[in-house]
Amino acid sequence: MVDITHKVTTLRTAKAQAIVHVSSAETIAAVVENRVPKGNVFEMAKVAGLFAVKNTHIAIPDCHPLPVEYTAVEYEIDDLEIRIFITVKTVYKTGVEVEAMHGASVIALTMYDMLKPIDKGITIREIGLVQKTGGKSSFKENNPKEIQAAVVVCSDSISKGIKEDRSGKVIVDKLKSYGVKVNSYEVIPDELELIRARTFELADKNQLVIFTGGTGLSQRDVTPEALEPILERRIPGVEEAIRSYGQRIMPFAMLSRSVAGTIGDSIILALPGSTNGAKESMDAIFPHLLHVFKILKGANHEPSE
């Protein structure tokens, strides 16, 4: 099974379809008028589809068990075709596309089984996904274009060449994966005034400035102290999301002093300096954070669907 432990929980929906094609108008009439010997085709098939959705992870080996929080089945009749539509919703870390398609296929098979005594010419076709929403892919598609970013590593030991930077490179890679252009990447020592000066310089040229390191509780960890007085507006929800996400993975995350705020139209972030801490912080807030650039330009708060 694919590792989804790093993913965030979002509302995810999937709509799938299947088409049952019968060979005569009499079969359609029997279904509509509830004259099929085996029972009510629509209701029986619907129940089978609901069971199929809930048990997808048992039938399909690589599917994750997940909470199915909504399922709806609809039918449309077009000449000799019965079109099946099934919508599935969950609030979870992974999508429900397979659950929806599994449900559609079982509904179609149930119809086939119930109708075969009266119609030997039934076929099933076009089982597939109609629509999906939720997850990072949906947020990524809605991101504004051409975001410019700068990444700064705050570390005495790395700036002296004693250690090699990893957290900054993780952040750069993550940003590039979301289509953000990284204009600069640099390493500076844990000096409060230097951090503050670089913040103003970089915020003037970039929409996103991310610091990594210096958010702990040692005497040299001064990144929050450098940034907090100069931020025009704090974004506490981002800070809470980072710590909440990290806390579920590593108890020490509660000791991090991550910071988020704005200077003008630039977003300033201070993330942990450990490789895992930086990676998990990025997983917690990206690409969702990029929506803020639409807000800063005057868009409403609702992401498009």
Side-chain angles (χ1 to χ4, degrees):
M1 296 170 70
V2 174
D3 184 0
I4 60 170
T5 56
H6 65 286
K7 291 188 174 184
V8 295
T9 296
T10 64
L11 171 62
R12 300 169 189 264
T13 67
K15 184 175 184 179
Q17 75 163 11
I19 297 175
V20 174
H21 189 281
V22 304
S23 64
S24 72
E26 175 58 28
T27 303
I28 294 293
V31 172
V32 173
E33 297 168 12
N34 195 16
R35 292 188 286 104
V36 176
K38 285 193 173 184
N40 189 307
V41 174
F42 288 146
E43 290 302 316
M44 290 285 286
K46 177 181 177 180
V47 171
L50 297 179
F51 276 112
V53 168
K54 294 177 181 179
N55 290 285
T56 300
H57 67 282
I58 296 175
I60 312 296
D62 283 342
C63 280
H64 296 82
L66 51 75
V68 176
E69 300 182 81
Y70 175 82
T71 304
V73 177
E74 301 170 274
Y75 302 110
E76 293 180 4
I77 296 176
D78 183 9
D79 194 20
L80 298 181
E81 292 182 348
I82 302 174
R83 296 178 179 269
I84 301 158
F85 296 97
I86 182 167
T87 301
V88 182
K89 294 184 181 182
T90 186
V91 178
Y92 197 58
K93 297 180 178 182
T94 190
V96 285
E97 303 94 85
V98 176
E99 282 75 8
M101 287 188 285
H102 185 217
S105 66
V106 170
I107 291 172
L109 285 169
T110 303
M111 285 188 173
Y112 179 93
D113 178 67
M114 296 185 72
L115 295 176
K116 67 182 180 180
I118 63 172
D119 191 332
K120 303 301 182 183
I122 299 172
T123 59
I124 296 171
R125 59 187 176 87
E126 295 185 30
I127 298 172
L129 189 66
V130 175
Q131 182 184 22
K132 63 164 285 189
T133 63
K136 290 191 174 182
S137 59
S138 293
F139 286 96
K140 185 176 179 180
E141 291 169 1
N142 293 324
N143 289 337
K145 307 299 181 183
E146 295 297 323
I147 297 175
Q148 313 287 318
V151 176
V152 183
V153 179
C154 300
S155 171
D156 291 333
S157 57
I158 295 175
S159 65
K160 293 176 182 178
I162 300 173
K163 292 183 179 180
E164 179 184 355
D165 169 55
R166 293 182 180 177
S167 63
K169 293 175 180 176
V170 164
I171 292 172
V172 169
D173 289 343
K174 286 280 189 181
L175 289 175
K176 289 181 177 178
S177 73
Y178 296 125
V180 176
K181 183 179 180 182
V182 180
N183 288 328
S184 66
Y185 158 80
E186 61 185 277
V187 179
I188 62 175
D190 291 303
E191 298 291 345
L192 187 147
E193 292 302 330
L194 177 58
I195 294 170
R196 193 169 292 173
R198 290 303 290 147
T199 303
F200 284 120
E201 293 168 4
L202 293 170
D204 189 51
K205 301 175 182 177
N206 299 275
Q207 296 155 284
L208 181 61
V209 181
I210 302 181
F211 291 88
T212 174
T215 61
L217 289 168
S218 75
Q219 292 300 315
R220 294 291 292 170
D221 288 331
V222 295
T223 305
E225 285 74 17
L227 297 179
E228 287 171 350
I230 63 174
L231 293 177
E232 295 169 4
R233 290 187 294 178
R234 294 287 289 275
I235 314 177
V238 173
E239 300 169 1
E240 293 162 7
I242 291 171
R243 280 186 280 273
S244 175
Y245 181 93
Q247 188 69 23
R248 292 196 296 267
I249 300 171
M250 167 56 70
F252 297 157
M254 64 183 178
L255 301 176
S256 175
R257 298 184 297 140
S258 297
V259 174
T262 65
I263 294 179
D265 289 337
S266 294
I267 302 298
I268 314 298
L269 300 175
L271 306 182
S274 69
T275 305
N276 286 338
K279 178 182 180 300
E280 290 161 7
S281 297
M282 294 293 289
D283 287 337
I285 60 176
F286 281 89
H288 319 99
L289 178 67
L290 299 179
H291 180 65
V292 75
F293 295 108
K294 287 187 174 181
I295 303 301
L296 291 173
K297 290 182 178 180
N300 62 42
H301 287 268
E302 294 297 328
S304 59
E305 294 184 358

